[in-house]
Amino acid sequence: VPVFILAGLLVHCVFLVSIFDIYFSSPLVHGMTPQQTPLPPPAKRLVLFVADGLRADSLYELDSNGTARAPYLRGILENNGSWGISHTRVPTESRPGHVALIAGFYEDVSAVAKGWKENPVEFDSVFNESKYTWSWGSPDILPMFAKGATGDHVYTFCYAAESEDFGAEDAAKLDIWVFDHVKSFFNSSRSNQTLFSALNEDKVVLFLHLLGIDTNGHAHRPHSREYQENIKQVDEGVKEIASLIDNFYGNDGKTAFILTSDHGMTDWGSHGAGHPSETLTPLIVWGAGVNYPQKVTTQFFEDNFLKEWRLENLKRLDVNQADIAPLMASLIGVPFPLNSVGTLPLEYLNTSALFKAESMFTNAVQILEQFKVKMSQKKETTLSILFTPFKPLSASEQINFLKKIRLYIQQQKYDEAVSLCKTLINLALEGLSYYHTYDRLFLGLSIAVSFVGWTTYVILVIIKAHTNLTKTVPANKKKSAVLFYGFASAGMIIAFFLLIQACPWTYYIYCLLPVPVWYAVVKEIPVIQDLATNVLSLHIGQFIGFLLVCVLGIEILVFSFFYRSALSVGLLVFAGWPVITRLWIQTKTKALIWTLLCVLLAIFPLMPVVGREPNIPLVIAAGLLTILISFFSLASLCKSENKYRDNEDLKVYFYQMFSVALSTYVVGSTHDSLKIKQGLPVMNQIISWMTLVFSPVLLLLSPTFLFERLFSILLSLMSTYLLLSTGYEALFPLALFGLMFMWINMEQEALQHYGLSLKPKLAVFNFTCAMDITQFRQLHLDDVRRSFFFVFFIVTAFFGTGNIASVNSFDPASVYCFLTVFSPFMMGGLLLLKVAIPFVLVSCAFEAVQVTTQLSSKSLFLIVLVISDIMALHFFFLVKDYGSWLDIGTSISHYVLVMSLTIFMMVMNGLAQLLTTQRLGLPRRNKHHSM
């Protein structure tokens, strides 16, 4: 068994990781020559303000009384500069956003996982190409541009990481810190001759990274007073810095200013996915070389923002986020960053037509350089007979384009030159993408073939080992040797092909995986033949009916990822299950309670998703309800007769109830303290961490009788879950546990109903005695339904708590009892724990169902694997990397979620066994108990 589980885990990990290799590998190439416009630039220096986490609508919209939130910036875009919306890409995190702004390319998704602070891939940036760059701001962002720079001309000034506290009095002080330091920097330069002359050089960049808005948005949400006040403070700061710089340089008119943001933020204060509130960021440019506002009568955009913002008459110039890097480079006349894929937004420039045409030509050549390098790399690693080049940009076509553009510029036909440059850029980008995704189809097919093979193999294992549908056939030694050598030689041929083409090592895994998987399937041919004869002897109608029900069930699960309400429909069908199967005739009360609990649980997927306002009274109510239920359960336990039980054991429950009460108090007092801006009380933080560590220990002290142990698991998980809750989801584990407990009871009745075995007494049933192999029975069709129930409950456990099928479905407020200082990995870990707690409840109930229905845990678990793998295969084909960023982000999230659920279920299976059967023995005064 362990070998099989390990193989399964490995295969699933490969499936999960493959998606990032197939769809999201790093687009960077190295070895291009820098390209620079040969004309003098309009500006000597550039000031870049990045207001981290600022949404476009938050900056541009007017207050309720019709005044601008940022009066200075509003004045600029109405009188002195150009404005628009910068469209960012997924993942909307600070790191990829800044890389797109300053280096001009979109990092692959994997860069987020490689760490925030360091520079996992070497890349060129506007800062690196400048003569000097001075930057002020967050220690998470600045070092990565200084680290990648050649020589030491990029200077950074950062505050301490501890300052990024979501629970602090006011995060705007992070921005005030930046503005104050810039002012003192310029003041000190008057008495420092070296610094003074450096500041007066050409090609200078000043970068102000303002993190306050982002931190306030996480802590208080974007519609809060704090977030909007912070925008006002940034506006004042920008005004002061702009006038300070103009005065310092004697108003020489050689400074260009850009204000933008790295990403937006959802209404509930998180970012990372592709919702418009996260991908639309403001862009305001003014100063040297920048166009003045252009008056227009009509302009068409699909969104209705212009009307809302009262900016219909000022031309809105939208760009992609990576276009800002070439804009900065051309304003101060530095080479375009080598890896930049941005197109220079000419409408922002107020320069001669010649300068625009030359800059656009530089841009085209710079992107074409990348295309050439990418093509030669692909050519080197592909057999010449198999290589299909990108037709529209063959070598002769490239020369053609460049000659034509040069000729147009000489003839002063600048508009034609520019439009030809744009065509060339688009073709080069298409070509880059063509070579970047060159192997995609081939790798995708390999993974799909492995997927189908693996699922087939698991079905065969179930049928062979756990049912009596097939008789065992002695193995034919000669045949199996032929098979083995056949598959081994196929593997050799594939490996040889990959070796000639110098493929990366991951390709070997993806392409060789189908070989062992399908070898295992083909080895079981006798089982397949046997099965075929058996199936034909069945009633075809029954068989088809059974298949249809299976397909329908799985489709409902897949559908629930897009529409959570599908789960409510499923739960209502479950509510009718006792009626459909006539189970209710046996046990009317149990059936009634089951139906009521199903209906109760069906309410949760219809509730609002993350992003709702915190509702702490509900969390406190959930805590009190838990304690109330505990008292009733304990009372009934003390009354019930169980000769095996020692009443000393019941002490554990009192400790657990005390822990729940303590958690309820901590949640209330922490949120009160944060409300009045007092930060997280240290005592509460200590209690929270202690609860997290000690509640599993208390759980293992409780008796291993079925009801007692499950009840102890609920109390233990509840005390941690309350600390991580902010609203109605605190009530979810209680409703779920009630249903799970009824499920265990109903499965008992189902066993008797189908005449499969006698009913064990649940009251005295002990987990530790249930491991006797001899009692196990063969699988029955009804067991497929059991497994489906489990998968359905697991999916409900995920979506029922207000999660959405997306990477940003978390609310930072749920970790405030544990920490408020920004720490991505710690916060991520706690949020994962919150997601996992309902899973643990369902897994432990499933463990109880397996044990009480006398099935080996392996057989039911294998059916679960098949169901979840079929779901995952759906999502594998639904993954896409084109279309809106919302679609792309969602499609990746779905696949990652399903694969993680499958891997998770394997781990949970082991965890549930541990939680239900293990017991820590405490030294006793009276009689000695062994484990």
Side-chain angles (χ1 to χ4, degrees), residues 112-382:
V112 174
K114 286 177 187 160
W116 259 253
K117 298 182 180 159
E118 288 311 303
N119 203 349
V121 280
E122 283 307 312
F123 57 79
D124 186 24
S125 68
V126 174
F127 295 176
N128 189 31
E129 296 291 357
S130 69
K131 195 163 226 167
Y132 293 106
T133 294
W134 285 276
S135 55
W136 295 265
S138 154
D140 296 341
I141 296 298
L142 304 188
M144 82 185 178
F145 293 104
K147 238 191 160 72
T150 44
D152 52 350
H153 59 279
V154 178
Y155 303 100
T156 58
F157 306 94
C158 310
Y159 37 75
E162 288 70 53
S163 312
E164 299 173 24
D165 186 348
F166 294 163
E169 283 168 51
D170 190 14
K173 64 173 193 275
L174 298 176
D175 299 342
I176 294 164
W177 185 97
V178 170
F179 294 134
D180 290 349
H181 275 71
V182 175
K183 288 173 199 165
S184 60
F185 171 79
F186 274 98
N187 290 338
S188 68
S189 73
R190 295 186 192 279
S191 54
N192 177 341
Q193 197 46 51
T194 346
L195 180 55
F196 188 78
S197 54
L199 276 168
N200 279 292
E201 291 275 3
D202 292 0
K203 302 180 184 175
V204 165
V205 177
L206 303 167
F207 171 41
L208 285 70
H209 175 240
L210 310 165
L211 189 66
I213 294 180
D214 184 65
T215 311
N216 265 324
H218 283 310
H220 306 287
R221 319 266 156 98
H223 294 299
S224 62
R225 189 180 53 81
E226 288 85 354
Y227 186 86
Q228 291 168 7
E229 282 296 313
N230 203 161
I231 294 177
K232 278 201 175 68
Q233 278 167 313
V234 165
D235 183 59
E236 281 157 24
V238 169
K239 178 182 178 178
E240 286 170 17
I241 297 299
S243 77
L244 168 93
I245 289 174
D246 283 341
N247 292 339
F248 182 85
Y249 291 108
N251 292 322
D252 64 351
K254 286 286 180 190
T255 315
F257 297 91
I258 293 183
L259 177 128
T260 184
S261 165
D262 52 350
H263 55 74
M265 189 171 281
T266 57
D267 290 344
W268 59 92
S270 73
H271 51 83
H275 190 268
S277 63
E278 299 162 274
T279 58
L280 301 183
T281 60
L283 172 64
I284 301 178
V285 189
W286 71 102
V290 180
N291 244 337
Y292 288 106
Q294 300 165 52
K295 295 272 190 285
V296 286
T297 45
T298 55
Q299 44 182 339
F300 176 72
F301 284 94
E302 284 188 357
D303 50 47
N304 298 322
F305 290 138
L306 289 169
K307 212 178 190 118
E308 283 172 37
W309 301 339
R310 306 212 190 131
L311 289 169
E312 306 98 318
N313 303 330
L314 289 175
K315 190 158 189 194
R316 163 177 154 189
L317 309 168
D318 281 17
V319 299
N320 289 324
Q321 197 172 32
D323 301 344
I324 297 173
L327 176 64
M328 295 195 283
S330 66
L331 280 171
I332 54 172
V334 297
F336 287 35
L338 292 177
N339 292 107
S340 164
V341 293
T343 311
L344 179 64
L346 287 180
E347 292 174 295
Y348 276 90
L349 293 178
N350 178 17
T351 52
S352 66
L354 170 65
F355 182 84
K356 287 182 182 176
E358 282 287 1
S359 299
M360 211 62 201
F361 183 61
T362 309
N363 195 178
V365 173
Q366 170 257 328
I367 292 179
L368 190 63
E369 278 285 304
Q370 293 181 69
F371 168 77
K372 287 179 180 164
V373 173
K374 193 89 175 173
M375 179 169 116
S376 63
Q377 279 181 2
K378 238 327 128 263
K379 217 169 181 171
E380 280 164 23
T381 60
T382 313

Side-chain angles (χ1 to χ4, degrees), residues 692-735:
L692 183 67
V693 174
F694 286 113
S695 56
V697 179
L698 280 176
L699 184 168
L700 291 174
L701 292 173
S702 66
T704 53
F705 294 105
L706 182 108
F707 175 65
E708 278 123 272
R709 177 48 72 95
L710 285 177
F711 179 54
S712 177
I713 289 173
L714 172 74
L715 286 180
S716 180
L717 294 177
M718 228 18 223
S719 53
T720 310
Y721 198 76
L722 285 170
L723 293 171
L724 290 166
S725 296
T726 58
Y728 71 80
E729 79 269 26
L731 294 162
F732 181 75
L734 289 174

Side-chain angles (χ1 to χ4, degrees), residues 831-849:
L831 291 161
L832 270 180
L833 177 73
K834 181 179 176 179
V835 169
I837 285 175
F839 289 170
V840 177
L841 275 179
V842 177
S843 299
C844 290
F846 188 54
E847 181 67 23
V849 167

Side-chain angles (χ1 to χ4, degrees), residues 657-677:
M657 280 158 69
F658 176 67
S659 169
V660 171
L662 205 57
S663 295
T664 311
Y665 164 74
V666 167
V667 169
S669 83
T670 301
H671 283 271
D672 286 346
S673 164
L674 288 175
K675 214 175 234 153
I676 54 172
K677 303 272 173 79

Side-chain angles (χ1 to χ4, degrees), residues 885-905:
W885 277 103
L886 186 57
D887 297 347
I888 296 169
T890 314
S891 71
I892 309 163
S893 300
H894 284 173
Y895 181 71
V896 170
L897 268 175
V898 171
M899 284 317 296
S900 312
L901 278 182
T902 313
I903 294 172
F904 225 59
M905 283 193 244

